[in-house]
């Protein structure tokens, strides 16, 4: 069977995260770095030179020029969240497939405009939640789906924090209300919410309650917050996200028969392997001096880092559309929208003084 040509990527902007994704595009077997655009052509040229772009790559002094290039198949957009609606919609209108950095929008109303533009143009959209593509994630889902081992889901607890340096807290776009007004909730809380929904098979909670104690930047942007989620059937979840505490990214998923633990869910400790622990029908030794049986640890190897696997899957979908006449895969925009819905509800709960907020789709 003939191999399809690689998907040609254009990158809008030179954000730090774009360095990681540029490497991923180079590592993925079905993609190529084709163009980069910045408001400064000099900055774009420097970015291309430092991040493995081929000499033939196009370097543009505007975002529009990338979108106007007929040879660009797909764009990666790592711009500040407030700019997503403008540039994602323009990209879709120009028939460019979209790999969109998270959080995908400031709210679900904006996201719906982006999704409508993608649907109208028949282009694929996927958010850049990299851990979803790690082979560990599928292996952990096998455990959660095994009723004899895990049983029925009862609770999920997720935490993603890092200790931002002073320069970050003064100058980073994630503390600027005009650029990224969701702050820590959008940046790290997105991952917590996604992990909870993933564990719950993406069944939306009935309601969300932000917990008192939200910490705000002097600009008004959230620096740390917590929330609880409740479902109709009685299962619950909690999460905490923060720019003000030591690097932690842990998830615990508790069922009637088993428990899943993983401690590096957003970025694995090592890029070529990732581990998780499972406990099944846990109990104590006779004198209650230890556990019996003990939790077991499982390690999953990967030839490509998770971000390259994300690019590979995205390009597989784009290639199916471009070369095979397929329709865009609807799974990814649905997952983005559900994550955004819960994120919006948490924000509303905080703004209303920690009121219970119903989650409506």
């Amino acid at each position: 069977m003939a191999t399809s040509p690689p998907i040609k990527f254009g990158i809008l902007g030179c954000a730090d995260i774009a360095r990681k994704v540029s490497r991923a595009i180079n590592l993925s077997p079905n993609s190529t770095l084709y163009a980069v655009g910045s408001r400064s052509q000099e900055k774009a040229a420097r970015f291309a030179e430092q991040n493995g772009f081929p000499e033939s790559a196009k370097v543009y002094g505007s975002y529009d020029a990338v979108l106007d290039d007929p040879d660009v198949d797909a764009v990666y957009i790592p711009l500040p969240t407030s700019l997503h609606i403008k540039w994602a919609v323009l990209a879709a209108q120009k028939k460019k497939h979209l790999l969109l950095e998270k959080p995908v929008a400031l709210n679900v109303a904006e996201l719906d405009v982006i999704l409508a533009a993608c649907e109208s143009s028949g282009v694929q959209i996927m958010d850049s939640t990299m851990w979803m593509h790690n082979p560990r994630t599928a292996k952990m889902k096998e455990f959660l789906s095994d009723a004899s081992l895990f049983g029925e889901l009862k609770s999920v607890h997720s935490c993603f924090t890092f200790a931002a340096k002073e320069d970050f807290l003064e100058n980073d776009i994630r503390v600027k209300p005009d650029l990224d007004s969701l702050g820590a909730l959008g940046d790290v809380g997105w991952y917590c919410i996604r992990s909870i929904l993933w564990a719950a098979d993406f069944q939306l909670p009935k309601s969300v309650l932000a917990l008192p104690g939200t910490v705000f930047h002097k600009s008004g942007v959230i620096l740390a917050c917590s929330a609880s989620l409740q479902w109709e059937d009685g299962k619950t979840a909690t999460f905490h996200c923060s720019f003000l505490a030591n690097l932690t990214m842990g998830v615990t998923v508790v069922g009637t028969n088993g428990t899943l633990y993983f401690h590096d869910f957003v970025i694995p400790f090592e890029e070529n392997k990732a581990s998780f622990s499972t406990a099944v029908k846990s109990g104590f030794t006779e004198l209650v001096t230890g556990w019996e049986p003990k939790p077991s640890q499982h390690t999953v190897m990967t030839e490509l880092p998770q971000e390259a696997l994300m690019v590979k899957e995205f390009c597989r979908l784009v290639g199916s559309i471009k070369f095979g006449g397929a329709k865009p895969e609807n799974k990814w925009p649905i997952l983005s929208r559900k994550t955004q819905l819960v994120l919006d509800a948490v924000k509303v709960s905080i703004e209303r003084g920690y009121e219970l907020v119903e989650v409506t789709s």
Side-chain angles (χ1 to χ4, degrees):
M1 183 176 170
T3 304
S4 299
I7 299 304
K8 295 176 181 176
F9 259 96
I11 296 179
L12 301 191
C14 304
D16 276 351
I17 188 65
R19 296 168 54 225
K20 181 175 182 177
V21 174
S22 295
R23 174 176 178 259
I25 292 167
N26 268 335
L27 288 172
S28 172
N30 55 353
S31 57
T32 186
L33 288 166
Y34 181 80
V36 60
S38 171
R39 290 169 297 177
S40 157
Q41 181 135 2
E42 182 184 347
K43 187 176 181 182
R46 188 164 60 248
F47 183 89
E49 183 183 351
Q50 294 173 349
N51 289 283
F53 280 65
E55 286 188 12
S56 59
K58 302 293 180 67
V59 174
Y60 294 117
S62 72
Y63 305 147
D64 282 303
V66 176
L67 301 185
D68 287 336
D69 188 322
D71 292 324
V72 170
D73 297 313
V75 290
Y76 168 59
I77 302 182
L79 300 171
T81 310
S82 63
L83 300 180
H84 284 191
I85 185 167
K86 175 182 177 179
W87 292 105
V89 168
L90 278 172
Q93 289 171 344
K94 299 279 188 176
K95 309 290 187 185
K96 308 303 185 190
H97 302 276
L98 276 169
L99 183 60
L100 186 58
E101 196 50 63
K102 38 59 52 192
V104 286
L106 292 177
N107 52 59
V108 81
E110 285 195 359
L111 176 58
D112 283 344
V113 174
I114 294 170
L115 297 183
C118 291
E119 187 173 353
S120 176
S121 292
V123 298
Q124 182 66 53
I125 182 170
M126 178 187 286
D127 70 51
S128 184
T129 308
M130 299 169 183
W131 73 269
M132 296 289 294
H133 303 271
N134 195 301
R136 169 178 64 176
T137 304
K139 189 58 78 174
M140 293 188 299
K141 180 57 80 171
E142 288 178 15
F143 173 72
L144 297 182
S145 301
D146 189 322
S148 63
L149 295 176
F150 181 73
E152 180 186 345
L153 176 63
K154 288 297 184 182
S155 67
V156 189
H157 309 282
S158 184
C159 177
F160 184 8
T161 64
F162 66 87
K165 293 183 167 59
E166 187 176 340
D167 180 65
F168 178 105
L169 295 174
E170 284 295 323
N171 301 310
D172 196 271
I173 63 167
R174 286 164 283 186
V175 298
K176 304 293 185 186
D178 57 329
L179 296 175
D180 246 313
S181 61
L182 297 173
L185 176 59
D187 186 47
V188 285
W190 173 277
Y191 291 105
C192 297
I193 292 166
R194 175 61 64 86
S195 69
I196 291 167
L197 292 174
W198 168 81
D201 288 329
F202 289 94
Q203 177 191 359
L204 283 171
K206 177 178 183 287
S207 59
V208 165
L209 178 66
L211 304 179
T214 302
V215 181
F216 294 96
H217 190 267
K218 61 187 177 185
S219 68
V221 168
I222 293 169
L223 293 178
C225 67
S226 305
S228 63
L229 289 65
Q230 302 83 35
W231 280 259
E232 290 271 15
D233 62 4
K235 61 178 172 277
T236 62
T238 60
F239 77 85
H240 177 67
C241 61
S242 174
F243 291 155
L244 304 174
N246 188 53
L247 179 60
T248 301
M249 42 179 73
V251 179
T252 302
V253 186
V254 184
T256 48
N257 293 335
T259 306
L260 168 71
Y261 310 91
F262 52 121
H263 303 295
D264 54 350
F265 81 100
V266 179
I267 300 170
F269 296 134
E270 300 177 64
E271 71 173 7
N272 66 338
K273 62 182 178 180
S275 300
F276 63 97
S277 298
T278 57
V280 178
K281 296 181 179 174
S282 307
F284 297 118
T285 55
E286 185 182 353
L287 292 178
V288 198
T289 55
W291 286 43
E292 186 61 43
K294 297 181 182 69
S296 57
Q297 180 152 318
H298 314 267
T299 299
V300 181
M301 306 299 295
T302 177
E303 290 186 12
L304 289 173
Q306 60 186 18
E307 59 272 17
L309 292 172
M310 173 187 71
V311 170
K312 182 181 177 184
E313 174 61 10
F314 174 74
C315 290
R316 183 188 71 80
L317 295 173
V318 172
S320 296
I321 297 165
K322 181 175 181 179
F323 305 115
K327 299 287 187 187
E329 170 62 68
N330 210 26
K331 165 188 171 182
W332 296 106
I334 288 172
L335 301 192
S336 298
R337 192 174 189 277
K338 288 186 173 185
T339 309
Q340 188 79 47
L341 277 168
V342 175
L343 192 152
D344 285 7
V346 175
K347 187 167 183 282
V348 169
S349 180
I350 293 169
E351 290 170 348
R352 292 181 181 172
Y354 309 105
E355 281 186 12
L356 192 72
V357 174
E358 300 287 318
V359 179
T360 55
S361 58

